[in-house]
Amino acid sequence: MGATKTDHFTDEQNKIAIIAKALGHPARVAIIEYLLKVDTCICGDIVNELPLAQATVSQHLKELKNAGLIKGNIEGTAICYCIDEKTFEILNEYFLKIISRVTTQKCC
């Protein structure tokens, strides 16, 4: 069996690409911003904040959770979501590395 395209890249490159892809939809960005605003785990409030159907919001939450951007805990019959700080630390380190290089390079 041949190698997949992602096999040719580092684990860090693949992780950043997965995170970036998950953030590539405005509804997912809105969900992240809402979770940051409420600063606590929330269950059903997300659907009320977005102009989307409950099933669509659930799909977006699944994508964010699969990328590690949010985490969910089961509380009774609901799943409560909050930001996964570990993944945002990975993003922070990645972008700090880029910013550090960009501000010191002598290009064009």
Side-chain angles (χ1 to χ4, degrees), residues 2-15:
T4 65
K5 291 181 182 180
T6 58
D7 289 341
H8 299 289
F9 300 97
T10 67
D11 289 341
E12 180 186 20
Q13 290 167 335
N14 281 304
K15 179 67 176 170

Side-chain angles (χ1 to χ4, degrees), residues 32-59:
I32 294 294
E33 290 175 355
Y34 180 68
L35 290 172
L36 288 169
K37 182 175 74 172
V38 296
D39 195 32
T40 184
C41 288
I42 58 167
C43 299
D45 297 343
I46 299 171
V47 174
N48 298 332
E49 288 296 312
L50 299 174
L52 302 170
Q54 189 276 328
T56 304
V57 172
S58 293
Q59 185 62 38

Side-chain angles (χ1 to χ4, degrees), residues 54-68:
Q54 189 276 328
T56 304
V57 172
S58 293
Q59 185 62 38
H60 287 303
L61 289 167
K62 179 181 174 187
E63 293 294 327
L64 290 169
K65 190 169 186 218
N66 287 343

